[in-house]
């Protein structure tokens, strides 16, 4: 372990002090972006509903970077920020990354790059389905790493992302992707993150660049009673498409959600973003999502929708679907609903002799299934479904 | 024997009183048809019988096999053998039709003290019903009523009726939205259930369905009350004179 770190100390630091801390020149553009945006506080738009300040003011251990042996396996495994296994058709190496998005809205994106001047570069050959496991094992630590993922043009790649932890209580994980979806290719990212009982806290900040005629599918499944925030920005080139689905199932007093920005840059680009949230107890869900259609993106299509079901007496959903449009030639729609389970559906089930309790369970699982069913691979679909149902049933058991 | 005895029933939806002292007795093993103009209270009556949350009963009683059911929950009424085929069955995306049907059937079997059926046993039990109703087997693997045509939804209602084997069957506008082939298949499913013990209450605007399901009694409902009860010959009179031509008894 190295010297402990309290990120809050950087809040009022001068540019020079920050440069010294990150060991970069004061003219470094990434540093300047972080300095301009400032560390998140209660007034920061993207972190208004998330307890970022308390995470930043916590003191964490920092981890030594001692290269670990990399094994060949059928999956990519990252242990506390370091790659420990890779499949044979994947090239992985640590490198400096120059294609950082200089218009990202999230200061943590820049902080992540400054903390990780060398990113984990993953280059994937051919049509592949790859499992990527993030594993955390250090307590009270700041675990930080960034990945850059590149696929090949005209290829289909699927990335199944899951998270495991042992003894990582009190740790803050700061990580994120920079992904470049190659022209005419399809990249699917299916994320399954179930965090229970403060196992660790996670803030992810991503940038996805979808090239001409490429397709990006983002499906995120976030369950549990522990705070986490997923922030991402997607840029769509000409004829590029994005299909994003987010399922939140939150328990306890957790604050968790999605903050996103989808930017249509190219003509005929299209995006679809669907969020479904199920909140129990005192949980707070966040869906703060902006879609921006720029002047260059004529004939674009965009659909955005958020539906939340509130099951707890004190739970709360922050749904902020937003459209920012600079052209007339497009198709766009967005909406948000927050409420209880559908009374007509509930009655229909009960009228067939199914108890109210069982009928409610069926409707909640059904609500979740409408997104889980979109996972193409049956094996992984089953994994996500199991993760959801285990969390759901154990909570139902506890509350009865 | 009287299966369902509705006595001086007053019921409202919101602030509006719809049923205004309705009396009706349904005999075991008989087919009763309720006819009446729009707004007469036909659907409210069916909802009151099954315990729909929209309907508030303000006076009167509903006795099922001599026991009051108005304080019972909807699922208890269903388990006791009362079934409503909905005019507009709801779609429930994400609830697998087969899972729903098996859950409902097993709830009933459990209530009756019988062994629950596993998935294989259930599918075997379903096979014949699906064929009889002309339903494709993939319909039970889809989400409940999601994307079903009007005819498919009504067939699915009848499928539920066949497997749950209720004692009182209420068919609310079962013929609406059905083409002639679907109407025939649905009617055959209903007629299959006529065993001289079950009671049917057929709610309809039009006499067309009564060509397929022969009623024993016709009840005319108007302004929240049954104003006339007669045999099947009343249908012809209604066709000729309309509801205005019926004088309250």
């Amino acid at each position: 372990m190295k010297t402990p770190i309290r990120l809050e100390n950087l809040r009022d630091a001068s540019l020079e002090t920050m440069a010294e801390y990150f060991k970069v020149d004061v003219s470094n553009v990434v540093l300047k972006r972080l300095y301009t945006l400032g560390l998140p506080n209660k007034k920061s738009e993207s972190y208004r509903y998330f307890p970022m300040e308390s995470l930043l003011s916590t003191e964490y251990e920092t981890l030594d970077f001692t290269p670990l042996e990399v094994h060949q396996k059928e999956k990519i495994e990252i242990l506390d920020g370091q790659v420990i296994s890779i499949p044979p058709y994947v090239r992985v190496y640590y490198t400096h990354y120059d294609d950082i998005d200089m218009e990202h809205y999230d200061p943590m994106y820049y902080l992540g790059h400054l903390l990780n001047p060398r990113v984990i570069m993953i280059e994937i050959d051919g049509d592949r389905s790859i499992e990527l496991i993030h594993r955390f094992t250090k307590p009270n630590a700041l675990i930080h790493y960034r990945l850059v993922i590149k696929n090949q043009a005209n290829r289909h790649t699927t990335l199944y992302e899951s998270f495991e932890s042992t003894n990582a209580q009190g740790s803050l994980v700061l990580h994120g992707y920079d992904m470049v979806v190659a022209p005419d290719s399809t990249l699917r990212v299916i994320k399954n993150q179930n965090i229970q009982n403060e196992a660790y806290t996670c803030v992810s900040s991503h940038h996805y660049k979808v090239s001409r005629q490429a397709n990006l599918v983002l499906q995120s499944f976030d369950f549990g009673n522990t705070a986490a925030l997923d922030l991402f920005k997607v840029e769509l080139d000409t004829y590029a498409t994005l299909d994003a689905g987010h399922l939140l199932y939150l328990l306890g007093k957790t604050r968790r959600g999605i903050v996103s920005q989808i930017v249509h840059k190219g003509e005929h680009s299209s995006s679809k973003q669907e969020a479904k949230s199920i909140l129990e107890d005192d949980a707070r869900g966040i869906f703060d999502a902006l879609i921006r259609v720029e002047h260059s993106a004529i004939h674009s299509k965009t659909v955005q929708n958020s539906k939340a079901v509130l099951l707890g007496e004190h739970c709360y959903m922050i749904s902020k679907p937003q459209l920012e449009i600079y052209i007339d030639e497009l198709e766009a729609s967005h909406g948000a609903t927050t409420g209880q389970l559908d009374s007509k559906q509930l009655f229909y089930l009960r009228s067939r002799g199914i108890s109210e309790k069982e009928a409610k369970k069926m409707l909640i699982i059904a609500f979740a299934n409408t997104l889980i069913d979109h996972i193409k691979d049956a094996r992984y679909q089953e994994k996500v479904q199991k993760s959801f149902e285990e969390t759901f049933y154990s909570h139902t058991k506890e509350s009865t | 024997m009287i299966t369902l005895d509705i006595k001086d029933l007053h019921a409202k939806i919101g602030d509006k009183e719809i049923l205004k002292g309705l009396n009706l007795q349904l005999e075991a093993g008989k087919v009763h048809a309720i006819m009446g103009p729009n707004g007469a209270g036909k659907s409210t009556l069916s909802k009151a019988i099954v315990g729909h949350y929209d309907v508030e009963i303000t006076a009167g009683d509903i006795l099922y096999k001599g026991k009051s059911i108005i304080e019972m929950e909807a699922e208890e009424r269903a388990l006791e053998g009362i079934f409503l085929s909905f005019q507009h069955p709801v779609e429930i995306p994400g609830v697998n039709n087969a899972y729903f049907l098996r859950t409902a059937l097993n709830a009933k079997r459990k209530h009756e003290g019988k062994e629950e059926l596993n998935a294989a046993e259930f599918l075997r039990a379903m096979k014949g019903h699906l064929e009889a109703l002309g339903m494709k087997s993939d319909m039970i693997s889809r989400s409940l009523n999601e994307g079903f045509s009007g005819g498919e939804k009504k067939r699915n209602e009848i499928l539920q009726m066949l497997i749950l084997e209720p004692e009182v069957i209420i068919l609310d506008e079962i013929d609406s939205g059905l083409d002639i082939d679907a109407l025939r298949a649905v009617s055959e499913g209903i007629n299959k259930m006529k065993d001289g013990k079950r009671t049917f209450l057929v709610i309809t605007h039009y006499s067309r369905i009564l060509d397929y399901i022969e009623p024993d009694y016709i009840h005319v409902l108007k302004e929240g009350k049954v104003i006339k009860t007669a045999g099947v010959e009343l249908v012809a009179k209604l066709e000729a004179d309309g509801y205005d031509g019926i004088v309250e008894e």
Side-chain angles (χ1 to χ4, degrees):
Chain A
M1 297 272 187
K2 293 194 296 187
T3 329
I5 182 172
R6 194 194 304 268
L7 293 165
E8 180 68 26
N9 294 344
L10 293 168
R11 187 179 298 286
D12 299 320
S14 66
L15 190 63
E16 290 72 19
T17 310
M18 286 172 86
E20 196 178 325
Y21 181 82
F22 292 114
K23 298 182 176 61
V24 294
D25 193 85
V26 284
S27 61
N28 182 296
V29 285
V30 179
L31 179 75
K32 280 185 175 171
R33 280 293 289 161
L34 175 63
Y35 184 75
T36 308
L37 290 169
L39 283 184
N41 59 32
K42 279 178 190 159
K43 289 180 184 168
S44 308
E45 194 59 37
S46 310
Y47 290 89
R48 186 177 289 176
Y49 311 104
F50 187 76
M52 198 64 210
E53 277 189 329
S54 68
L55 294 173
L56 294 174
S57 60
T58 304
E59 188 172 89
Y60 299 99
E61 300 293 336
T62 52
L63 303 179
D64 286 323
F65 182 83
T66 313
L68 300 169
E69 194 181 343
V70 178
H71 300 275
Q72 201 169 89
K73 280 191 185 175
E74 276 308 304
K75 54 187 82 167
I76 303 173
E77 289 173 288
I78 298 175
L79 176 67
D80 296 320
Q82 290 192 56
V83 180
I84 57 165
S85 80
I86 55 169
Y89 44 81
V90 167
R91 281 183 303 283
V92 177
Y93 51 96
Y94 292 87
T95 183
H96 291 279
Y97 184 59
D98 296 327
D99 201 14
I100 294 169
D101 174 30
M102 293 316 295
E103 293 172 353
H104 207 294
Y105 61 93
D106 179 19
M108 298 305 283
Y109 173 79
Y110 298 106
L111 178 66
H113 274 289
L114 288 163
L115 288 168
N116 304 282
R118 281 164 27 108
V119 299
I120 302 167
M121 174 71 75
I122 300 175
E123 293 175 344
I124 303 163
D125 292 343
D127 296 323
R128 301 290 179 191
S129 288
I130 302 168
E131 211 173 327
L132 171 59
I133 301 172
H134 305 256
R135 196 168 287 137
F136 312 120
T137 63
K138 304 287 187 209
N140 306 312
L142 179 68
I143 301 170
H144 56 85
Y145 56 102
R146 289 205 63 87
L147 300 118
V148 175
I149 296 187
K150 291 183 175 178
N151 65 343
Q152 289 179 316
N154 290 301
R155 295 296 190 172
H156 291 256
T157 310
T158 304
L159 204 60
Y160 295 109
E161 190 186 25
S162 61
F163 296 77
E164 296 173 4
S165 70
T166 22
N167 196 29
Q169 280 85 2
S171 286
L172 170 64
V173 176
L174 294 181
H175 81 121
Y177 294 119
D178 285 272
M179 287 199 192
V180 182
V181 188
D184 302 293
S185 73
T186 297
L187 176 64
R188 294 172 177 275
V189 182
I190 293 109
K191 173 199 164 202
N192 179 15
Q193 192 171 24
N194 193 337
I195 322 175
Q196 297 288 345
N197 307 323
E198 314 291 326
Y200 60 95
T201 307
C202 190
V203 176
S204 321
S205 189
H206 311 293
H207 178 238
Y208 303 95
K209 203 169 175 179
V210 190
S211 309
R212 191 183 170 83
Q213 297 192 72
N215 311 299
L216 174 63
V217 180
L218 291 179
Q219 292 170 296
S220 61
F221 301 92
D222 294 297
F223 311 140
N225 59 7
T226 302
L229 194 64
D230 205 350
L231 305 102
F232 67 84
K233 178 181 167 188
V234 177
E235 289 177 302
L236 296 167
D237 201 343
T238 306
Y239 284 104
T241 73
L242 168 70
D243 184 354
H246 316 291
L247 177 64
L248 287 177
Y249 177 56
L250 308 184
L251 311 168
K253 293 184 174 177
T254 191
R255 305 285 181 261
R256 192 160 174 184
I258 306 282
V259 178
S260 69
Q261 200 177 89
I262 297 165
V263 185
H264 286 253
K265 286 181 173 277
E267 290 178 19
H268 295 279
S269 52
S270 72
S271 65
K272 182 182 158 204
Q273 189 178 33
E274 185 179 18
K276 293 201 169 184
S277 308
I278 304 163
L279 310 186
E280 304 256 19
D281 309 321
D282 300 344
R284 178 184 289 186
I286 303 161
F287 177 67
D288 185 354
L290 169 73
I291 295 180
R292 191 166 73 229
V293 184
E294 297 192 342
H295 289 104
S296 51
I298 54 169
H299 308 306
S300 287
K301 284 183 191 170
T302 179
V303 181
Q304 188 187 45
N305 195 276
S306 164
K307 282 184 187 168
V309 175
L310 308 181
L311 301 174
E313 277 185 31
H314 305 291
C315 56
Y316 188 68
M317 183 71 202
I318 294 135
S319 273
K320 283 178 65 188
Q322 302 147 76
L323 288 175
E324 195 178 303
I325 293 170
Y326 293 94
I327 52 169
D328 295 327
E329 304 88 344
L330 87 162
E331 289 175 37
S333 69
H334 73 157
T337 57
T338 299
Q340 313 295 315
L341 290 171
D342 186 301
S343 53
K344 281 184 184 167
Q345 293 179 340
L346 196 58
F347 182 77
Y348 188 83
L349 299 178
R350 293 177 65 201
S351 78
R352 298 305 185 238
I354 298 168
S355 70
E356 184 175 5
K357 192 176 158 191
E358 186 61 32
K360 282 182 174 172
K361 277 189 204 169
M362 285 170 79
L363 292 181
I364 293 161
I365 291 173
F367 185 73
N369 279 349
T370 52
L371 281 180
I372 296 172
D373 287 351
H374 287 181
I375 301 172
K376 278 194 169 177
D377 182 286
R379 197 171 56 95
Y380 208 77
Q381 188 187 94
E382 213 171 283
K383 270 189 187 178
V384 174
Q385 196 150 30
K386 195 174 164 211
S387 174
F388 171 74
E389 289 186 8
E390 276 176 2
T391 312
F392 175 68
Y393 281 118
S394 70
H395 179 266
T396 310
K397 211 171 165 186
E398 272 171 28
S399 52
T400 50
Chain B
M1 193 184 104
I2 304 300
T3 312
L4 205 66
D5 190 0
I6 302 170
K7 292 181 168 179
D8 190 29
L9 193 69
H10 291 255
K12 59 181 189 175
I13 292 181
D15 292 333
K16 194 177 177 190
E17 187 176 43
I18 312 280
L19 303 182
K20 301 166 183 171
L22 184 144
N23 289 290
L24 179 68
Q25 291 189 324
L26 304 185
E27 283 182 40
K30 302 292 183 189
V31 176
H32 296 255
I34 291 259
M35 300 182 76
N38 286 332
K42 300 188 296 296
S43 289
T44 304
L45 172 62
S46 67
K47 285 179 171 179
I49 297 170
V50 297
H52 194 280
Y53 57 88
D54 267 355
V55 179
E56 186 190 342
I57 292 174
T58 52
D61 208 347
I62 303 172
L63 305 179
Y64 174 58
K65 295 182 188 172
K67 198 170 80 177
S68 175
I69 58 168
I70 59 173
E71 296 299 327
M72 286 167 77
E73 297 291 347
E75 56 267 38
E76 291 176 80
R77 299 183 201 204
L79 292 172
E80 289 295 324
I82 298 173
F83 179 90
L84 168 65
S85 166
F86 286 84
Q87 187 180 354
H88 302 292
V90 292
E91 298 190 3
I92 313 188
V95 169
N96 175 275
N97 200 15
Y99 177 71
F100 156 69
L101 292 166
R102 188 156 72 93
T103 305
L105 176 58
N106 279 338
K108 179 91 189 301
R109 289 178 69 89
K110 195 176 169 190
H111 181 71
E112 292 168 348
K114 294 178 184 167
E115 285 273 308
E116 294 184 16
L117 297 186
N118 64 33
E121 291 165 335
F122 169 75
L123 288 173
R124 271 198 297 277
M126 292 285 294
K127 202 169 175 256
H129 294 317
L130 288 169
E131 284 168 5
L133 288 168
M135 290 171 76
K136 290 176 192 159
S137 56
D138 76 331
M139 273 183 69
I140 61 163
S141 57
R142 285 160 60 184
S143 284
L144 176 54
N145 291 328
E146 189 188 27
F148 285 20
S149 67
E152 286 173 331
K153 283 181 181 167
K154 293 294 169 78
R155 280 181 161 103
N156 206 36
E157 293 290 288
I158 299 306
L159 178 65
Q160 292 165 44
M161 181 190 80
L162 290 171
I163 63 164
L164 293 174
E165 300 181 333
E167 290 181 48
V168 171
I169 296 161
I170 305 162
L171 304 163
D172 190 1
E173 308 273 357
I174 189 71
D175 52 339
S176 69
L178 294 187
D179 62 31
I180 199 74
D181 292 333
L183 183 60
R184 192 171 292 131
V186 163
S187 304
E188 279 170 11
I190 294 165
N191 286 326
K192 231 169 103 176
M193 294 291 282
K194 285 167 73 176
D195 61 354
K197 292 177 191 162
R198 291 192 171 87
T199 306
F200 290 83
L201 181 61
V202 182
I203 294 172
T204 185
H205 268 300
Y206 307 107
S207 58
R208 185 175 73 146
I209 185 72
L210 304 179
D211 294 337
Y212 295 89
I213 307 164
E214 197 181 330
D216 297 295
Y217 298 102
I218 306 290
H219 308 276
V220 177
L221 185 60
K222 202 172 170 187
E223 293 173 1
K225 285 181 179 178
V226 174
I227 60 163
K228 190 173 182 68
T229 294
V232 73
E233 69 280 358
L234 185 59
V235 176
K237 187 171 167 48
L238 284 169
E239 289 281 312
D241 303 339
Y243 295 111
D244 288 340
I246 303 295
V247 180
E248 188 170 350
E249 287 175 338

